[in-house]
Amino acid sequence: MTGIVIVIMYGLFLLGLICYQIRGRGVGSDSISRVILAGGKAKSSTLIFSVFAAWMWPTSVLGAVETYSMYGILGPISYVAAACVAFMFFVWVMNMIQTKIEGGRYFLDLISQVHGDTKKLFYFIFAFIVPAYVLIEQAVGVAYVFRSLFGVDFKWTAFLSIIIAVIFVGISGMEGLLRSEKITGICILIAFAFITGYFVNTDTSAGVVKEINAHEEWFNTGVMAASVRYFITAIVIAFSQLVFDPGYYLKGRLASSPRKMKMVFYMGGIVLWGGVSLVASVYLGVASYTQDTEVMQLFTGIGSWMFGAVMLLIGVSTISHYLMGWYGLFTEDLYIDYLRAEADEHQRIVFGRVLMTAGGIFCALIAISLENISLLTIDVFCAIFFAAPCGPVLHACISTRKIRNGTSVIATMAGIGCGLLIWIFFPIHGEYNHFLGVVGSLGVSIVCSEIGVRLSKKKE
């Protein structure tokens, strides 16, 4: 009953935001600038919390804690450091798209300029699949938390967390999303301050100090090597999750200048996210390990209420972010470029809203079937598929020379094939398989991209 009450209260909170928006400026405008871009610009403070809330996932806490059981305290450190490195790479890519490509909006514009419009259509696949996978992962994380804390049915929570976000984004658009994410970001900081404060005042704090002083265990050759492999894998995972997400590109366009954009993303995605994720995952990891219990069992009474509520805010906020990315991409790009170039803004908005809703429902149906699946396992397995298309994107950033010989598609497919073959047939099992599969997937796609460039030069 407690979990259901929290979900209902959160639904009423979002309903209140919608009513506030209707009373202030209204919803359902036929202007793409209004629905997709919240009028064109947003305050830096709002964007910082928006980026922070969107990048803060249930995996940011639960997945990082899970790495503690595998690599000790080096696990959360590797997880957070890798995500921050990937975020810096992504900001570099987005800044290049905004400053070097005329009218550049999404990574698809980079692909279009270098590889041609037909290859851009191929990469639409990843602009849909990657957000879908992340979106589903958030719903699974929320459902896992509510099942563990409150005994709420997994399928009910997973499905409803996505449907709530679909309804909210479909009605309020970017303006409502930014407002909710700012509130969510502030709530996350307050909640984790209380949670960390609670553990600091228990024996867990002494456990953290003990772990920090255990240098000989940390730097054991085997553990150190494994954590380095995980660090490299996590960079690729995080970068693929960022670069193929249309939502961040939309928010990057809301900054007043490229310089402001970089400041906003560094503050929200590295400073705030990195600090909260590292402290929370280390303390929760140590507490879970020393008490020999699952993370969910650490919270009782009002603590379980607070942790459950903040996980719901985190999950639904991230789901809403990815849905908004779809909404913008379908409205601004897909419909007018490939279906009806003469469509007016109202038709494009309706098209984007319908496809966003259909995609959300599709993801909700998949999420309910993923009970008892590790979030970390989902991350690592999908990384093999999503590492390969990163190769042509990175190569296009370095060499903006136009290539029209199908290199990007060949490189992507070759990378995926290589990664899967390594993962399936390599004799060493466990995380070593995953590491080699991910590195092979990305490496082969980059090498194939370079070969394509050289062949293109020879033909000229």
Side-chain angles (χ1 to χ4, degrees), residues 120-324:
K120 174 182 174 180
L121 185 59
F122 171 74
Y123 272 82
F124 257 108
I125 297 172
F126 298 98
F128 177 80
I129 292 179
V130 174
Y133 130 76
V134 177
L135 192 155
I136 291 168
E137 189 179 28
Q138 308 319 303
V140 170
V142 173
Y144 167 71
V145 169
F146 272 64
R147 184 190 63 185
S148 300
L149 289 179
F150 312 116
V152 179
D153 181 69
F154 178 94
K155 293 179 173 59
W156 184 89
T157 310
F159 185 82
L160 199 58
S161 61
I162 296 179
I163 297 305
I164 289 174
V166 167
I167 294 171
F168 177 69
V169 172
I171 295 175
S172 64
M174 179 62 82
E175 184 178 346
L177 176 63
L178 291 176
R179 188 175 289 116
S180 70
E181 286 181 325
K182 186 172 185 178
I183 297 172
T184 297
I186 294 171
C187 289
I188 292 172
L189 291 177
I190 295 172
F192 276 106
F194 275 107
I195 290 171
T196 304
Y198 168 77
F199 283 112
V200 166
N201 291 321
T202 65
D203 292 338
T204 304
S205 184
V208 171
V209 174
K210 183 180 179 180
E211 284 290 302
I212 291 175
N213 291 328
H215 295 293
E216 68 280 359
E217 295 181 12
W218 281 17
F219 295 100
N220 172 278
T221 304
V223 176
M224 189 69 176
S227 66
V228 170
R229 290 194 296 270
Y230 173 71
F231 171 74
I232 296 171
T233 304
I235 291 176
V236 179
I237 294 172
F239 182 75
S240 67
Q241 292 164 345
L242 289 161
V243 78
F244 298 121
D245 171 22
Y248 287 114
Y249 295 99
L250 285 176
K251 292 174 181 177
R253 290 158 59 190
L254 298 181
S256 58
S257 67
R259 185 179 65 83
K260 285 284 188 181
M261 179 275 292
K262 289 190 286 187
M263 183 275 291
V264 161
F265 274 75
Y266 288 147
M267 284 297 298
I270 295 178
V271 177
L272 287 182
W273 180 88
V276 171
S277 297
L278 182 61
V279 173
S281 59
V282 167
Y283 270 95
L284 292 177
V286 171
S288 176
Y289 180 78
T290 55
Q291 298 182 34
D292 193 23
T293 184
E294 291 187 4
V295 174
M296 297 301 109
Q297 306 305 317
L298 299 173
F299 299 96
T300 58
I302 194 171
S304 64
W305 275 70
M306 179 177 291
F307 190 72
V310 76
M311 285 293 107
L312 179 65
L313 261 68
I314 289 172
V316 176
S317 177
T318 303
I319 290 170
S320 300
H321 162 83
Y322 280 89
L323 289 171
M324 190 67 234

Side-chain angles (χ1 to χ4, degrees), residues 381-402:
F381 179 76
C382 290
I384 294 174
F385 290 91
F386 301 146
C390 291
V393 172
L394 288 171
H395 196 274
C397 288
I398 299 170
S399 173
T400 55
R401 178 186 179 86
K402 292 185 178 180

Side-chain angles (χ1 to χ4, degrees), residues 96-125:
M96 176 168 290
I97 292 171
Q98 288 188 359
T99 57
K100 303 297 183 182
I101 299 178
E102 185 177 354
R105 299 168 300 179
Y106 306 101
F107 79 95
L108 294 167
D109 297 311
L110 176 65
I111 294 295
S112 179
Q113 174 171 295
V114 177
H115 296 284
D117 289 337
T118 56
K119 311 308 181 298
K120 174 182 174 180
L121 185 59
F122 171 74
Y123 272 82
F124 257 108
I125 297 172

Side-chain angles (χ1 to χ4, degrees), residues 16-62:
L17 291 181
I18 292 173
C19 292
Y20 176 82
Q21 188 173 338
I22 293 174
R23 184 178 179 182
R25 298 183 182 178
V27 296
S29 168
D30 286 341
S31 167
I32 289 178
S33 174
R34 174 76 179 283
V35 174
I36 304 301
L37 295 171
K41 299 297 177 185
K43 294 181 179 179
S44 294
S45 59
T46 299
L47 290 175
I48 288 172
F49 281 109
S50 176
V51 171
F52 169 55
W55 192 221
M56 192 73 189
W57 302 357
T59 317
S60 301
V61 179
L62 302 180

Side-chain angles (χ1 to χ4, degrees), residues 338-418:
Y338 298 100
L339 298 176
R340 284 192 63 195
E342 72 280 6
D344 60 31
E345 290 201 353
H346 173 71
Q347 292 170 327
R348 291 162 64 186
I349 289 171
V350 170
F351 175 81
R353 186 178 293 132
V354 169
L355 253 65
M356 179 273 293
T357 302
I361 294 173
F362 171 75
C363 291
L365 294 175
I366 293 179
I368 64 178
S369 67
L370 296 179
E371 193 169 0
N372 299 320
I373 301 295
S374 164
L375 297 180
L376 194 62
T377 300
I378 295 175
D379 255 0
V380 174
F381 179 76
C382 290
I384 294 174
F385 290 91
F386 301 146
C390 291
V393 172
L394 288 171
H395 196 274
C397 288
I398 299 170
S399 173
T400 55
R401 178 186 179 86
K402 292 185 178 180
I403 309 170
R404 296 292 187 265
N405 58 4
T407 296
S408 62
V409 177
I410 295 171
T412 299
M413 300 308 295
I416 293 174
C418 176

